[in-house]
Amino acid sequence: MHMKLGLIGFPIKHSLSPWIHNQFLEKSGMKGTYSIMEISPDNTFEQELERIKESGLDGFNVTVPYKKQIINYLDDLDKNAEIIGAVNTVVCKNGKWIGYNTDGIGYVIALRKNFPEIFHDKKNRILIFGAGGAAYGIYYGLKSEGFTQIDIANRTHSSAKAIAILGDNNVETSILSLDEAQESINSYNLIIQTTSVGMKPNTEDTIIPIKSLNQKSVVSDIIYQPLNTRFLMDAKKTGASIHYGHTMLLYQAQYAFELWTNKKIPIDNMDQQLKTILEGR
Ligand code: ATR
């Protein structure tokens, strides 16, 4: 069987997804291709999708800026993706397109692989910075794991509030301003940075300066370009443990590949290999 896979988004010429999925294809012993299908915002999205539909793909990933827009063109939507309101993986089956979101689950799996102890106490206090698509997936993923205290800090209060509505009686969520988060940051066990602040080329930027932290806390940044964001480096200096963003990229891809092929490919040393690629960029 020859799997035809790919990625839509813009700009995606330097995406690492082809590297990841080509490794998965090789490890699975399946023949296949994973193509970059860049859709410029100047083109008509609908026409481009028609062309993609005709090409007979088995599945594809969706990245910025189309994760919400794609929903209008799907035949079915997984419950998780519906709640999150964004799709990053489409399965094409019998001419139908079904949308999923593997980002939040990918984050949770990566976190468990690297810091299993966090999952031993569901009362651990969690703080998420940001309220974009990634924050939705991660909040929902952690809530589904049974964590009971997940706060959100964001520049815009209303966006954070919209995520908190996904909560229920089992989760307590306070909405914090960035200043409030800075003041209370050492009361959290897990801190997750999901905004675009600090991404290349603005590597000097940080969502908040970190001066002190609970030494036992774990700090994640989902940015992986650069791998060592200022946020993570500040956290490291305080003695906290840090969790790199490329791991989420790997595990969301692992789950997407499983949705397309029913095969779960072990990550093995791909974690270290991807880190080396990113460090060289
Ligand atoms: P994604 O869907 O990839 O997560 P997004 O929807 O563009 O990205 O969300 C970006 C997040 O980064 C938001 O939380 C945004 O804050 P606002 O809700 O206030 O817009 C946050 N963000 C981006 N630039 C920021 C900046 N300069 N300062 C503070 N927050 C910023």
Side-chain angles (χ1 to χ4, degrees):
M1 186 177 182
H2 184 100
M3 292 301 293
K4 272 183 86 175
L5 307 170
L7 170 69
I8 65 167
F10 185 86
I12 52 173
K13 289 217 166 73
H14 301 291
S15 166
L16 289 156
S17 293
W19 181 83
I20 297 173
H21 286 289
N22 282 322
Q23 294 244 357
F24 287 163
L25 281 166
E26 202 171 302
K27 284 173 186 242
S28 71
M30 298 172 95
K31 292 215 174 344
T33 48
Y34 185 95
S35 336
I36 291 279
M37 301 174 291
E38 193 167 73
I39 303 181
S40 156
D42 302 335
N43 293 5
T44 318
F45 188 60
E46 197 166 336
Q47 276 174 8
E48 292 296 314
L49 285 188
E50 274 309 316
R51 284 194 348 178
I52 289 171
K53 199 149 215 174
E54 279 160 23
S55 72
L57 287 172
D58 295 293
F60 60 97
N61 285 128
V62 184
T63 189
V64 281
Y66 302 121
K67 287 187 183 184
K68 282 185 193 295
Q69 210 173 330
I70 189 73
I71 293 175
N72 301 322
Y73 303 92
L74 300 174
D75 299 291
D76 209 349
L77 193 58
D78 169 67
K79 185 92 200 306
N80 201 31
E82 185 181 351
I83 292 166
I84 296 165
V87 161
N88 78 329
T89 302
V90 176
V91 175
C92 314
K93 224 178 194 168
N94 308 324
K96 298 236 185 299
W97 283 7
I98 307 146
Y100 296 84
N101 192 311
T102 70
D103 284 332
I105 299 164
Y107 173 82
V108 172
I109 299 172
L111 181 70
R112 198 201 303 274
K113 266 270 175 301
N114 288 280
F115 297 98
E117 64 280 6
I118 290 180
F119 291 79
H120 298 162
D121 184 359
K122 298 295 167 58
K123 291 201 184 81
N124 271 325
R125 285 170 55 81
I126 302 174
L127 175 63
I128 298 177
F129 281 97
Y136 262 85
I138 291 172
Y139 179 91
Y140 192 68
L142 293 169
K143 175 187 117 69
S144 306
E145 284 293 324
F147 286 101
T148 56
Q149 176 78 58
I150 314 174
D151 293 349
I152 306 168
N154 197 44
R155 177 178 60 179
T156 311
H157 184 91
S158 56
S159 329
K161 192 133 189 154
I163 296 186
I165 291 168
L166 298 183
D168 51 34
N169 295 340
N170 299 324
V171 192
E172 257 180 63
T173 298
S174 302
I175 311 295
L176 279 65
S177 68
L178 296 176
D179 285 345
E180 286 166 342
Q182 194 172 337
E183 271 168 36
S184 60
I185 196 152
N186 48 21
S187 69
Y188 290 94
N189 307 96
L190 170 64
I191 298 153
I192 310 157
Q193 201 303 105
T194 75
T195 78
S196 48
V197 180
M199 199 183 280
K200 260 185 188 171
N202 304 311
T203 55
E204 286 305 307
D205 293 352
T206 185
I207 191 73
I208 59 151
I210 296 178
K211 299 220 168 56
S212 74
L213 284 176
N214 177 339
Q215 297 255 317
K216 289 205 185 105
S217 62
V218 172
V219 179
S220 293
D221 196 328
I222 68 161
I223 291 175
Y224 53 85
Q225 306 209 68
L227 209 51
N228 287 296
T229 59
R230 191 184 142 199
F231 190 76
L232 284 188
M233 290 305 94
D234 283 356
K236 201 173 185 177
K237 278 186 209 146
T238 72
S241 302
I242 61 171
H243 178 217
Y244 286 114
H246 73 291
T247 58
M248 173 173 166
L249 181 71
L250 279 173
Y251 286 93
Q252 64 75 27
Q254 182 194 48
Y255 183 36
F257 193 85
E258 189 180 348
L259 288 170
W260 295 324
T261 63
N262 283 322
K263 289 185 199 292
K264 185 170 185 167
I265 310 299
I267 296 294
D268 297 334
N269 63 344
M270 285 176 72
D271 183 334
Q272 192 50 47
Q273 286 177 338
L274 185 58
K275 207 166 168 218
T276 307
I277 293 173
L278 287 163
E279 278 163 351
R281 277 195 167 186

